[in-house]
Amino acid sequence: MAKTYQLDTMVSPSSLLARARRAARENGATLVGDEGSGRFSHELVRGEYRMAGQRVVVTITDKHWLLPWPVVEVRLRELLASA
């Protein structure tokens, strides 16, 4: 079951992408894309993202059944929070 999150951020797209790439690398995930859109994958979660101004739309297309949705949302909010 896919789930989409629309989250506002004050972080610039370039800074956000750099932060996401670093987080992916540190956690054994793959991130492919640019400041506009892309996709990511990890053994526990897979999805895609797109930027629309200061809004980030993230769609989780697949996740491991042991990973609760609230944990996914908290991790996304932490990534998008202003520094």
Side-chain angles (χ1 to χ4, degrees):
M1 170 172 64
K3 188 166 187 172
T4 299
Y5 296 91
Q6 296 187 32
L7 304 163
D8 293 325
T9 182
M10 298 305 292
V11 180
S12 72
S14 60
S15 294
L16 188 57
L17 183 60
R19 187 186 296 178
R21 286 190 192 282
R22 187 172 44 255
R25 186 176 52 252
E26 291 171 356
N27 291 287
T30 301
L31 177 77
V32 178
D34 57 26
E35 295 174 6
S37 65
R39 65 185 186 281
F40 55 89
S41 63
H42 181 271
E43 62 186 15
L44 296 178
V45 67
R46 235 180 315 195
E48 48 199 42
Y49 70 90
R50 63 183 158 82
M51 292 286 295
Q54 292 303 123
R55 177 163 284 185
V56 180
V57 179
V58 178
T59 300
I60 305 299
T61 56
D62 189 35
K63 78 166 191 62
H64 193 280
W65 65 274
L66 283 175
L67 181 62
W69 284 112
V71 171
V72 172
E73 185 172 357
V74 165
R75 296 291 290 165
L76 284 173
R77 289 189 185 283
E78 287 172 354
L79 183 67
L80 300 176
S82 57

